[in-house]
PDB file of all heavy atoms in Angstrom:
ATOM      1  N   LEU A  21      27.741  44.203 -20.378  1.00 98.00           N
ATOM      2  CA  LEU A  21      28.116  44.153 -21.787  1.00 98.00           C
ATOM      3  C   LEU A  21      29.274  43.184 -22.012  1.00 98.00           C
ATOM      4  O   LEU A  21      29.261  42.401 -22.970  1.00 98.00           O
ATOM      5  CB  LEU A  21      28.472  45.558 -22.293  1.00 98.00           C
ATOM      6  CG  LEU A  21      28.851  45.674 -23.764  1.00 98.00           C
ATOM      7  CD1 LEU A  21      27.744  45.144 -24.680  1.00 98.00           C
ATOM      8  CD2 LEU A  21      29.180  47.133 -24.114  1.00 98.00           C
ATOM      9  N   LYS A  22      30.266  43.180 -21.118  1.00 98.00           N
ATOM     10  CA  LYS A  22      31.413  42.286 -21.269  1.00 98.00           C
ATOM     11  C   LYS A  22      31.009  40.814 -21.182  1.00 98.00           C
ATOM     12  O   LYS A  22      31.428  40.001 -22.010  1.00 98.00           O
ATOM     13  CB  LYS A  22      32.465  42.592 -20.191  1.00 98.00           C
ATOM     14  CG  LYS A  22      33.281  43.838 -20.462  1.00 98.00           C
ATOM     15  CD  LYS A  22      34.076  44.243 -19.255  1.00 98.00           C
ATOM     16  CE  LYS A  22      35.505  43.840 -19.341  1.00 98.00           C
ATOM     17  NZ  LYS A  22      36.312  44.425 -18.242  1.00 98.00           N
ATOM     18  N   MET A  23      30.174  40.478 -20.182  1.00 98.00           N
ATOM     19  CA  MET A  23      29.789  39.059 -20.039  1.00 98.00           C
ATOM     20  C   MET A  23      28.912  38.615 -21.202  1.00 98.00           C
ATOM     21  O   MET A  23      29.007  37.479 -21.666  1.00 98.00           O
ATOM     22  CB  MET A  23      29.119  38.794 -18.684  1.00 98.00           C
ATOM     23  CG  MET A  23      27.712  39.273 -18.530  1.00 98.00           C
ATOM     24  SD  MET A  23      26.958  38.818 -16.933  1.00 98.00           S
ATOM     25  CE  MET A  23      27.870  39.834 -15.798  1.00 98.00           C
ATOM     26  N   THR A  24      28.069  39.534 -21.704  1.00 98.00           N
ATOM     27  CA  THR A  24      27.197  39.197 -22.819  1.00 98.00           C
ATOM     28  C   THR A  24      27.998  39.066 -24.106  1.00 98.00           C
ATOM     29  O   THR A  24      27.788  38.125 -24.886  1.00 98.00           O
ATOM     30  CB  THR A  24      26.086  40.255 -22.977  1.00 98.00           C
ATOM     31  OG1 THR A  24      25.450  40.463 -21.726  1.00 98.00           O
ATOM     32  CG2 THR A  24      25.056  39.816 -23.999  1.00 98.00           C
ATOM     33  N   ALA A  25      28.909  39.988 -24.344  1.00 98.00           N
ATOM     34  CA  ALA A  25      29.741  39.924 -25.554  1.00 98.00           C
ATOM     35  C   ALA A  25      30.546  38.631 -25.576  1.00 98.00           C
ATOM     36  O   ALA A  25      30.670  37.983 -26.624  1.00 98.00           O
ATOM     37  CB  ALA A  25      30.657  41.145 -25.634  1.00 98.00           C
ATOM     38  N   SER A  26      31.070  38.220 -24.425  1.00 98.00           N
ATOM     39  CA  SER A  26      31.809  36.962 -24.344  1.00 98.00           C
ATOM     40  C   SER A  26      30.904  35.794 -24.720  1.00 98.00           C
ATOM     41  O   SER A  26      31.282  34.925 -25.517  1.00 98.00           O
ATOM     42  CB  SER A  26      32.344  36.769 -22.917  1.00 98.00           C
ATOM     43  OG  SER A  26      32.801  35.450 -22.729  1.00 98.00           O
ATOM     44  N   CYS A  27      29.700  35.802 -24.171  1.00 97.00           N
ATOM     45  CA  CYS A  27      28.774  34.687 -24.421  1.00 97.00           C
ATOM     46  C   CYS A  27      28.295  34.669 -25.877  1.00 97.00           C
ATOM     47  O   CYS A  27      28.051  33.612 -26.440  1.00 97.00           O
ATOM     48  CB  CYS A  27      27.592  34.791 -23.461  1.00 97.00           C
ATOM     49  SG  CYS A  27      26.700  33.243 -23.228  1.00 97.00           S
ATOM     50  N   GLU A  28      28.181  35.837 -26.489  1.00 97.00           N
ATOM     51  CA  GLU A  28      27.675  35.942 -27.866  1.00 97.00           C
ATOM     52  C   GLU A  28      28.789  35.877 -28.912  1.00 97.00           C
ATOM     53  O   GLU A  28      28.519  35.858 -30.112  1.00 97.00           O
ATOM     54  CB  GLU A  28      26.907  37.260 -28.049  1.00 97.00           C
ATOM     55  CG  GLU A  28      25.664  37.395 -27.180  1.00 97.00           C
ATOM     56  CD  GLU A  28      24.469  36.588 -27.675  1.00 97.00           C
ATOM     57  OE1 GLU A  28      24.573  35.895 -28.711  1.00 97.00           O
ATOM     58  OE2 GLU A  28      23.421  36.645 -27.014  1.00 97.00           O
ATOM     59  N   LEU A  29      30.040  35.827 -28.485  1.00 97.00           N
ATOM     60  CA  LEU A  29      31.192  35.940 -29.392  1.00 97.00           C
ATOM     61  C   LEU A  29      31.180  34.922 -30.539  1.00 97.00           C
ATOM     62  O   LEU A  29      31.543  35.252 -31.666  1.00 97.00           O
ATOM     63  CB  LEU A  29      32.496  35.814 -28.595  1.00 97.00           C
ATOM     64  CG  LEU A  29      33.793  36.105 -29.339  1.00 97.00           C
ATOM     65  CD1 LEU A  29      33.812  37.535 -29.873  1.00 97.00           C
ATOM     66  CD2 LEU A  29      34.986  35.871 -28.428  1.00 97.00           C
ATOM     67  N   LEU A  30      30.760  33.704 -30.274  1.00 96.00           N
ATOM     68  CA  LEU A  30      30.791  32.651 -31.297  1.00 96.00           C
ATOM     69  C   LEU A  30      29.473  32.507 -32.050  1.00 96.00           C
ATOM     70  O   LEU A  30      29.344  31.666 -32.934  1.00 96.00           O
ATOM     71  CB  LEU A  30      31.179  31.313 -30.656  1.00 96.00           C
ATOM     72  CG  LEU A  30      32.523  31.296 -29.920  1.00 96.00           C
ATOM     73  CD1 LEU A  30      32.764  29.944 -29.275  1.00 96.00           C
ATOM     74  CD2 LEU A  30      33.657  31.661 -30.864  1.00 96.00           C
ATOM     75  N   SER A  31      28.484  33.325 -31.701  1.00 95.00           N
ATOM     76  CA  SER A  31      27.175  33.249 -32.347  1.00 95.00           C
ATOM     77  C   SER A  31      27.191  34.000 -33.669  1.00 95.00           C
ATOM     78  O   SER A  31      27.873  35.009 -33.814  1.00 95.00           O
ATOM     79  CB  SER A  31      26.113  33.857 -31.426  1.00 95.00           C
ATOM     80  OG  SER A  31      24.866  33.924 -32.087  1.00 95.00           O
ATOM     81  N   GLU A  32      26.406  33.499 -34.623  1.00 88.00           N
ATOM     82  CA  GLU A  32      26.294  34.155 -35.929  1.00 88.00           C
ATOM     83  C   GLU A  32      25.049  35.037 -36.015  1.00 88.00           C
ATOM     84  O   GLU A  32      24.794  35.656 -37.038  1.00 88.00           O
ATOM     85  CB  GLU A  32      26.229  33.085 -37.034  1.00 88.00           C
ATOM     86  CG  GLU A  32      27.555  32.378 -37.262  1.00 88.00           C
ATOM     87  CD  GLU A  32      28.622  33.322 -37.776  1.00 88.00           C
ATOM     88  OE1 GLU A  32      28.356  34.103 -38.711  1.00 88.00           O
ATOM     89  OE2 GLU A  32      29.734  33.295 -37.226  1.00 88.00           O
ATOM     90  N   HIS A  33      24.256  35.087 -34.941  1.00 89.00           N
ATOM     91  CA  HIS A  33      22.985  35.810 -34.967  1.00 89.00           C
ATOM     92  C   HIS A  33      23.216  37.321 -35.114  1.00 89.00           C
ATOM     93  O   HIS A  33      24.153  37.871 -34.544  1.00 89.00           O
ATOM     94  CB  HIS A  33      22.207  35.524 -33.682  1.00 89.00           C
ATOM     95  CG  HIS A  33      20.769  35.899 -33.779  1.00 89.00           C
ATOM     96  ND1 HIS A  33      20.339  37.194 -33.643  1.00 89.00           N
ATOM     97  CD2 HIS A  33      19.662  35.156 -34.002  1.00 89.00           C
ATOM     98  CE1 HIS A  33      19.019  37.234 -33.784  1.00 89.00           C
ATOM     99  NE2 HIS A  33      18.581  36.003 -34.002  1.00 89.00           N
ATOM    100  N   PRO A  34      22.368  38.005 -35.889  1.00 89.00           N
ATOM    101  CA  PRO A  34      22.519  39.463 -36.056  1.00 89.00           C
ATOM    102  C   PRO A  34      22.511  40.250 -34.734  1.00 89.00           C
ATOM    103  O   PRO A  34      23.232  41.233 -34.593  1.00 89.00           O
ATOM    104  CB  PRO A  34      21.328  39.858 -36.928  1.00 89.00           C
ATOM    105  CG  PRO A  34      20.978  38.606 -37.677  1.00 89.00           C
ATOM    106  CD  PRO A  34      21.296  37.469 -36.744  1.00 89.00           C
ATOM    107  N   LEU A  35      21.706  39.818 -33.749  1.00 92.00           N
ATOM    108  CA  LEU A  35      21.705  40.495 -32.446  1.00 92.00           C
ATOM    109  C   LEU A  35      23.071  40.348 -31.774  1.00 92.00           C
ATOM    110  O   LEU A  35      23.591  41.300 -31.188  1.00 92.00           O
ATOM    111  CB  LEU A  35      20.614  39.930 -31.534  1.00 92.00           C
ATOM    112  CG  LEU A  35      19.160  40.105 -31.969  1.00 92.00           C
ATOM    113  CD1 LEU A  35      18.215  39.432 -30.978  1.00 92.00           C
ATOM    114  CD2 LEU A  35      18.785  41.559 -32.129  1.00 92.00           C
ATOM    115  N   ALA A  36      23.641  39.149 -31.872  1.00 95.00           N
ATOM    116  CA  ALA A  36      24.957  38.891 -31.283  1.00 95.00           C
ATOM    117  C   ALA A  36      26.016  39.780 -31.934  1.00 95.00           C
ATOM    118  O   ALA A  36      26.852  40.382 -31.252  1.00 95.00           O
ATOM    119  CB  ALA A  36      25.331  37.422 -31.450  1.00 95.00           C
ATOM    120  N   LYS A  37      25.965  39.863 -33.250  1.00 95.00           N
ATOM    121  CA  LYS A  37      26.955  40.676 -33.971  1.00 95.00           C
ATOM    122  C   LYS A  37      26.882  42.142 -33.549  1.00 95.00           C
ATOM    123  O   LYS A  37      27.907  42.810 -33.387  1.00 95.00           O
ATOM    124  CB  LYS A  37      26.758  40.530 -35.479  1.00 95.00           C
ATOM    125  CG  LYS A  37      27.149  39.151 -35.986  1.00 95.00           C
ATOM    126  CD  LYS A  37      26.901  39.012 -37.471  1.00 95.00           C
ATOM    127  CE  LYS A  37      27.287  37.630 -37.950  1.00 95.00           C
ATOM    128  NZ  LYS A  37      27.049  37.434 -39.364  1.00 95.00           N
ATOM    129  N   ALA A  38      25.657  42.643 -33.336  1.00 95.00           N
ATOM    130  CA  ALA A  38      25.486  44.045 -32.911  1.00 95.00           C
ATOM    131  C   ALA A  38      26.078  44.261 -31.520  1.00 95.00           C
ATOM    132  O   ALA A  38      26.682  45.310 -31.250  1.00 95.00           O
ATOM    133  CB  ALA A  38      24.008  44.423 -32.930  1.00 95.00           C
ATOM    134  N   ILE A  39      25.934  43.281 -30.639  1.00 97.00           N
ATOM    135  CA  ILE A  39      26.495  43.388 -29.284  1.00 97.00           C
ATOM    136  C   ILE A  39      28.018  43.384 -29.336  1.00 97.00           C
ATOM    137  O   ILE A  39      28.678  44.186 -28.663  1.00 97.00           O
ATOM    138  CB  ILE A  39      25.948  42.251 -28.392  1.00 97.00           C
ATOM    139  CG1 ILE A  39      24.464  42.509 -28.109  1.00 97.00           C
ATOM    140  CG2 ILE A  39      26.744  42.134 -27.095  1.00 97.00           C
ATOM    141  CD1 ILE A  39      23.731  41.339 -27.493  1.00 97.00           C
ATOM    142  N   ILE A  40      28.597  42.523 -30.164  1.00 97.00           N
ATOM    143  CA  ILE A  40      30.056  42.450 -30.309  1.00 97.00           C
ATOM    144  C   ILE A  40      30.585  43.782 -30.851  1.00 97.00           C
ATOM    145  O   ILE A  40      31.577  44.321 -30.349  1.00 97.00           O
ATOM    146  CB  ILE A  40      30.478  41.290 -31.246  1.00 97.00           C
ATOM    147  CG1 ILE A  40      29.971  39.944 -30.743  1.00 97.00           C
ATOM    148  CG2 ILE A  40      31.980  41.281 -31.460  1.00 97.00           C
ATOM    149  CD1 ILE A  40      30.373  39.572 -29.351  1.00 97.00           C
ATOM    150  N   ILE A  41      29.924  44.321 -31.863  1.00 97.00           N
ATOM    151  CA  ILE A  41      30.344  45.603 -32.440  1.00 97.00           C
ATOM    152  C   ILE A  41      30.315  46.690 -31.366  1.00 97.00           C
ATOM    153  O   ILE A  41      31.248  47.487 -31.241  1.00 97.00           O
ATOM    154  CB  ILE A  41      29.461  45.986 -33.652  1.00 97.00           C
ATOM    155  CG1 ILE A  41      29.789  45.077 -34.832  1.00 97.00           C
ATOM    156  CG2 ILE A  41      29.623  47.459 -34.021  1.00 97.00           C
ATOM    157  CD1 ILE A  41      28.805  45.159 -35.995  1.00 97.00           C
ATOM    158  N   ASN A  42      29.252  46.727 -30.562  1.00 97.00           N
ATOM    159  CA  ASN A  42      29.131  47.740 -29.515  1.00 97.00           C
ATOM    160  C   ASN A  42      30.260  47.620 -28.490  1.00 97.00           C
ATOM    161  O   ASN A  42      30.858  48.619 -28.086  1.00 97.00           O
ATOM    162  CB  ASN A  42      27.759  47.623 -28.828  1.00 97.00           C
ATOM    163  CG  ASN A  42      27.503  48.737 -27.853  1.00 97.00           C
ATOM    164  OD1 ASN A  42      27.805  48.617 -26.670  1.00 97.00           O
ATOM    165  ND2 ASN A  42      26.945  49.828 -28.344  1.00 97.00           N
ATOM    166  N   ALA A  43      30.574  46.383 -28.083  1.00 98.00           N
ATOM    167  CA  ALA A  43      31.657  46.158 -27.114  1.00 98.00           C
ATOM    168  C   ALA A  43      33.006  46.589 -27.697  1.00 98.00           C
ATOM    169  O   ALA A  43      33.823  47.216 -27.010  1.00 98.00           O
ATOM    170  CB  ALA A  43      31.698  44.699 -26.693  1.00 98.00           C
ATOM    171  N   LYS A  44      33.222  46.294 -28.984  1.00 97.00           N
ATOM    172  CA  LYS A  44      34.481  46.688 -29.629  1.00 97.00           C
ATOM    173  C   LYS A  44      34.583  48.203 -29.773  1.00 97.00           C
ATOM    174  O   LYS A  44      35.662  48.775 -29.596  1.00 97.00           O
ATOM    175  CB  LYS A  44      34.622  46.009 -30.997  1.00 97.00           C
ATOM    176  CG  LYS A  44      34.949  44.530 -30.874  1.00 97.00           C
ATOM    177  CD  LYS A  44      35.110  43.865 -32.220  1.00 97.00           C
ATOM    178  CE  LYS A  44      35.512  42.407 -32.056  1.00 97.00           C
ATOM    179  NZ  LYS A  44      35.575  41.697 -33.325  1.00 97.00           N
ATOM    180  N   GLU A  45      33.457  48.862 -30.093  1.00 97.00           N
ATOM    181  CA  GLU A  45      33.455  50.322 -30.187  1.00 97.00           C
ATOM    182  C   GLU A  45      33.821  50.960 -28.850  1.00 97.00           C
ATOM    183  O   GLU A  45      34.424  52.031 -28.800  1.00 97.00           O
ATOM    184  CB  GLU A  45      32.077  50.840 -30.634  1.00 97.00           C
ATOM    185  CG  GLU A  45      31.797  50.618 -32.102  1.00 97.00           C
ATOM    186  CD  GLU A  45      30.350  50.938 -32.490  1.00 97.00           C
ATOM    187  OE1 GLU A  45      29.496  51.159 -31.605  1.00 97.00           O
ATOM    188  OE2 GLU A  45      30.081  50.952 -33.711  1.00 97.00           O
ATOM    189  N   LYS A  46      33.468  50.293 -27.759  1.00 97.00           N
ATOM    190  CA  LYS A  46      33.784  50.785 -26.410  1.00 97.00           C
ATOM    191  C   LYS A  46      35.163  50.310 -25.968  1.00 97.00           C
ATOM    192  O   LYS A  46      35.545  50.524 -24.814  1.00 97.00           O
ATOM    193  CB  LYS A  46      32.709  50.342 -25.422  1.00 97.00           C
ATOM    194  CG  LYS A  46      31.392  51.036 -25.690  1.00 97.00           C
ATOM    195  CD  LYS A  46      30.320  50.657 -24.698  1.00 97.00           C
ATOM    196  CE  LYS A  46      29.151  51.585 -24.927  1.00 97.00           C
ATOM    197  NZ  LYS A  46      27.867  50.993 -24.739  1.00 97.00           N
TER     198      LYS A  46
END
Side-chain angles (χ1 to χ4, degrees):
L21 182 57
K22 284 168 101 171
M23 75 176 69
T24 309
S26 167
C27 201
E28 297 283 0
L29 188 60
L30 302 177
S31 174
E32 288 296 313
H33 196 280
L35 296 178
K37 290 178 180 179
I39 290 168
I40 302 304
I41 288 168
N42 187 268
K44 286 181 177 175
E45 285 171 350
K46 292 182 170 145

